[in-house]
Amino acid sequence: SSRGPCCDGGQPRDPGLLRHHFIGHVGERSDGPWLFREARFADRLLRDSQYKAPVTRDTAPRIRCFDERKDISVPPPVFLLRDRGAGDIRGRSEGEVPSSDRDVLVLGAEGASGGLEYDLRRALTDFYDPGGPDRRKYNQEDPPIAGDVVIRFRVPSKNYTSLLKRAKYCLVTEGFSPWSPRLTEAVAHGCVPVFLSPLLRPPYASVLDYAKFSIWLTEKDIPHIPSLLRRYDHASLFENLMRVRPLFAFCVDGGGEDGCGRGGSLGVPGDGLPFLVYEMFSRQVNAYTDTSSTLLTEGGYTSVDYACNAEDGSCSLSLKDERWRCAMANRHACMCQREVDGVYRYVGNTTNLKGHKKNLYHN
């Protein structure tokens, strides 16, 4: 799952899973706003409707999918890192494009597979490339890549890797979950990450000082991204990024030609394994010992009573004064119903939702 023990949309799959330790690329902050991507399968027709981001947060029980006291976030996987030419993130310097030679200020792409529910990515497209979605819809060609601000609805794959190597800064935006493989893409190519995911808890956040090699912006900064980025000392950020870059990969061949294990000259381990072991140790030392059904929710740790049906995979949950029933809608998505006046029904408000369609709910 893209959300660890939860379904892809953030709904609890099996609350019992949340009692276990999870290691994955699914780090989420334990404070701040809530993120649900609600699959509109309320009529059980399993339509290909993608996920939607409700403006209200009452579509599922507010149980956190990630608890930093016991769970560990590691760098997200990116298959292109196996390409010896593109994925050199373990300390080698051959062929690296230095800060002074990078001629693209910022790179970002919504991605053709993203739907209207990708709010932050769509906000970028609306401001910097408003014609992008229609060009795809009507099978029109995109204009040539030009200028030092490349924020597009889509960037051709033939240009993407070269642009990563040329860019000073790369946007890391959430999709249907807070994490994104674009973090590892950026780090792999020496592109300073610019986070636009307010809920993301990046890998090794309790150890690394991300302010020294990345930038955090918010949605209100979108119109001003170029001017804001020009204020930063890219050379310093780039130098620090190169120092931590080996930590965003794991050696699988004991070293060898891909450069694994060669980070000693940079003053860091050859890969991220030592940091992972340290995080595992710290979670063991600091983990809570409460054996009751206490889970991390939006309001802190809360007692949650639950029972699951092995036959249909549904789970009933009770927390505070709420009663819910959640079940898998397909291999990735869950749907949750809340008890209202003694009847379980789908709840939520889709007013002003990006990509809003009528009759999304069928109670």
Side-chain angles (χ1 to χ4, degrees):
S1 168
S2 290
R3 303 292 291 275
C6 295
C7 289
D8 282 0
Q11 304 84 358
R13 229 179 348 186
D14 179 347
L17 289 173
L18 294 166
R19 298 293 305 163
H20 295 271
H21 294 270
F22 271 80
I23 300 175
H25 46 270
V26 294
E28 302 182 20
R29 290 177 50 184
S30 60
D31 58 356
W34 202 260
L35 177 65
F36 278 126
R37 300 301 190 196
E38 183 76 0
R40 302 305 185 185
F41 298 136
D43 57 359
R44 298 297 177 180
L45 293 179
L46 304 186
R47 297 167 299 179
D48 295 330
S49 58
Q50 289 266 1
Y51 298 92
K52 304 298 178 184
V55 293
T56 61
R57 297 182 289 177
D58 56 355
T59 57
R62 304 176 189 180
I63 299 175
R64 298 284 186 184
C65 299
F66 184 89
D67 184 348
E68 62 189 53
R69 293 204 303 176
K70 64 179 183 63
D71 301 325
I72 298 172
S73 175
V74 295
V78 178
F79 289 114
L80 62 85
L81 299 182
R82 302 188 67 85
D83 180 333
R84 216 175 299 163
D88 173 22
I89 69 173
R90 300 175 177 91
R92 289 188 308 185
S93 59
E94 301 94 282
E96 183 59 58
V97 180
S99 170
S100 58
D101 291 346
R102 292 176 177 257
D103 60 342
V104 173
L105 175 66
V106 56
L107 171 66
E110 178 176 336
S113 62
L116 291 173
E117 72 282 1
Y118 286 27
D119 295 72
L120 284 172
R121 295 188 188 183
R122 182 47 54 95
L124 286 164
T125 294
D126 288 346
F127 190 85
Y128 290 97
D129 188 20
D134 281 342
R135 289 197 300 272
R136 185 184 75 162
K137 179 178 180 181
Y138 298 109
N139 198 28
Q140 299 172 343
E141 290 189 6
D142 292 312
I145 301 294
D148 66 348
V149 176
V150 182
I151 302 177
R152 294 285 192 87
F153 172 67
R154 59 183 178 180
V155 174
S157 56
K158 64 180 181 180
N159 303 120
Y160 190 57
T161 298
S162 63
L163 284 168
L164 283 167
K165 294 179 179 180
R166 292 170 52 193
K168 294 179 182 290
Y169 301 99
C170 290
L171 301 180
V172 178
T173 50
E174 65 190 26
F176 56 78
S177 61
W179 73 273
S180 170
R182 299 186 184 200
L183 170 59
T184 310
E185 286 180 353
V187 173
H189 294 84
C191 188
V192 173
V194 178
F195 291 102
L196 269 169
S197 181
L199 292 179
L200 175 65
R201 188 179 192 272
Y204 319 125
S206 62
V207 182
L208 296 179
D209 184 356
Y210 270 80
K212 295 186 180 300
F213 61 91
S214 68
I215 296 171
W216 292 79
L217 299 179
T218 65
E219 184 172 3
K220 65 181 178 58
D221 296 321
I222 285 177
H224 316 293
I225 286 176
S227 60
L228 289 172
L229 295 182
R230 295 184 200 280
R231 300 175 186 176
Y232 286 89
D233 182 354
H234 179 264
S236 177
L237 292 168
F238 177 81
E239 180 181 2
N240 291 332
L241 178 64
M242 292 299 97
R243 291 181 62 83
V244 301
R245 188 169 67 162
L247 303 175
F248 285 77
F250 296 93
C251 295
V252 295
D253 62 357
E257 61 183 11
D258 70 351
C260 263
R262 301 181 186 177
S265 62
L266 299 177
V268 296
D271 73 353
L273 183 58
F275 270 34
L276 174 58
V277 173
Y278 170 79
E279 296 251 83
M280 292 170 65
F281 172 77
S282 65
R283 296 306 186 277
Q284 180 183 19
V285 171
N286 298 326
Y288 56 84
T289 58
D290 181 16
T291 58
S292 66
S293 300
T294 301
L295 300 176
L296 181 60
T297 67
E298 186 176 33
Y301 288 94
T302 303
S303 177
V304 180
D305 295 324
Y306 58 89
C308 297
N309 186 322
E311 293 185 3
D312 62 11
S314 65
C315 294
S316 299
L317 306 89
S318 299
L319 62 158
K320 298 182 179 178
D321 57 347
E322 301 176 4
R323 293 177 60 85
W324 294 85
R325 184 168 60 201
C326 300
M328 297 291 292
N330 59 23
R331 290 182 300 172
H332 306 286
C334 288
M335 291 299 300
C336 292
Q337 295 175 307
R338 183 176 178 179
E339 187 182 54
V340 180
D341 297 329
V343 178
Y344 283 97
R345 62 178 65 229
Y346 298 102
V347 295
N349 185 346
T350 57
T351 303
N352 298 323
L353 172 66
K354 286 179 180 291
H356 169 63
K357 297 179 181 179
K358 294 182 178 180
N359 302 322
L360 288 176
Y361 289 102
H362 298 258
N363 291 320

